[in-house]
Amino acid sequence: MAVRRFHTDQPANFVLSPENLAWAERTIAKYPPGKQASAVIPLLWRAQEQHGGWLPEPAVRVVAKMLGMAEIRVYEIATFYTLFQLAPVGRKAHVQVCGTTPCMLRGAEDIKDVCRRRIHPEPHHLSTDGNFSWEEVECLGCCANAPMVQISRDTYEDLDPALFEKVLDGFAEGRPLTPGSQIGRRASCPAGGPTTLEAAAKSQVS
């Protein structure tokens, strides 16, 4: 596994917003006494969202203090889990391209080519305008609707290069497209529509 370190350019401090602080206190209260450390991942995630999609080192110290944890324990979590971005990401979108087998077989490499052309030739770099960044990740759990990408909390599925270009255009213009299948598929139904038990249903009608 690659070594992951915090970005060299760090803010002087980090303070949770009043709204996020109240949310963090409610989240911590869900756990029984002595088990508050179980809230570490959601608190780090909320801190990352507040800080423009990447997690600064001062935020790790804030979370450690709130949970009564040794800072090194929270550092270990932040640097182990790849859902935490340790360097600045695109202001408008950080694109996570699934590169696992189903997506790769159905065109993930073409999606990465679009990222290389429109964002940066290499992952984990900002676009020239600072609005976009990208990376390849492991399975994001939408195998039936491959290929797909995840941007923030949302997934965009059933992509091809042209559809993915439209997804990027939407973020660039400040009007993101509706998440989910980009070909109108509902959930993970077959691309041609549901067919299960169709013959049985017809026989009942007749």
Side-chain angles (χ1 to χ4, degrees), residues 85 89-90 92-96 124 131 133-135 150-152:
Q85 302 294 329
V89 297
K92 292 188 174 181
H94 176 66
V95 181
Q96 295 180 304
H124 298 290
N131 286 334
S133 55
W134 74 281
E135 66 175 316
Q150 180 169 314
I151 300 175
S152 186

Side-chain angles (χ1 to χ4, degrees), residues 79-206:
T79 56
F80 178 81
Y81 289 103
T82 56
L83 78 160
F84 299 120
Q85 302 294 329
L86 305 183
V89 297
R91 289 187 294 266
K92 292 188 174 181
H94 176 66
V95 181
Q96 295 180 304
V97 183
C98 181
T100 310
T101 306
C103 283
M104 187 59 67
L105 290 173
R106 290 185 56 83
E109 197 62 38
D110 295 333
I111 304 302
K112 289 191 288 182
D113 284 341
V114 175
C115 290
R116 294 183 183 108
R117 174 169 51 82
R118 288 197 49 167
I119 301 175
H120 193 279
E122 299 292 334
H124 298 290
H125 288 76
L126 294 173
S127 58
T128 303
D129 58 10
N131 286 334
F132 291 88
S133 55
W134 74 281
E135 66 175 316
E136 180 180 349
V137 298
E138 295 303 315
C139 184
L140 290 170
C142 296
C143 306
N145 294 3
M148 54 81 64
V149 303
Q150 180 169 314
I151 300 175
S152 186
R153 295 171 179 259
D154 296 317
T155 59
Y156 296 83
E157 307 153 20
D158 290 317
L159 297 173
D160 59 27
L163 290 172
F164 181 49
E165 295 263 13
K166 291 181 180 179
V167 170
L168 294 180
D169 290 341
F171 279 95
E173 296 164 4
R175 297 192 297 271
L177 300 184
T178 302
S181 173
Q182 298 303 298
I183 60 172
R185 190 197 316 227
R186 291 190 60 190
S188 297
C189 295
T195 58
T196 305
L197 301 179
E198 206 169 62
K202 288 179 180 179
S203 65
Q204 288 181 355
V205 172
S206 59

Side-chain angles (χ1 to χ4, degrees), residues 23-43:
W23 176 90
E25 290 172 345
R26 292 195 302 271
T27 300
I28 295 170
K30 295 177 182 178
Y31 297 92
K35 302 296 183 182
Q36 289 81 5
S38 298
V40 63
I41 288 180
L43 263 62

Side-chain angles (χ1 to χ4, degrees), residues 15-86:
V15 178
L16 283 171
S17 67
E19 178 186 359
N20 284 337
L21 178 60
W23 176 90
E25 290 172 345
R26 292 195 302 271
T27 300
I28 295 170
K30 295 177 182 178
Y31 297 92
K35 302 296 183 182
Q36 289 81 5
S38 298
V40 63
I41 288 180
L43 263 62
L44 288 174
W45 179 258
R46 184 57 68 100
Q48 174 169 281
E49 287 186 327
Q50 177 180 313
H51 195 69
W54 71 282
L55 186 67
E57 186 271 342
V60 172
R61 288 187 271 114
V62 167
V63 170
K65 185 175 181 180
M66 289 186 70
L67 298 177
M69 297 175 66
E71 291 181 2
I72 186 60
R73 297 296 295 163
V74 186
Y75 291 161
E76 289 170 345
I77 293 166
T79 56
F80 178 81
Y81 289 103
T82 56
L83 78 160
F84 299 120
Q85 302 294 329
L86 305 183

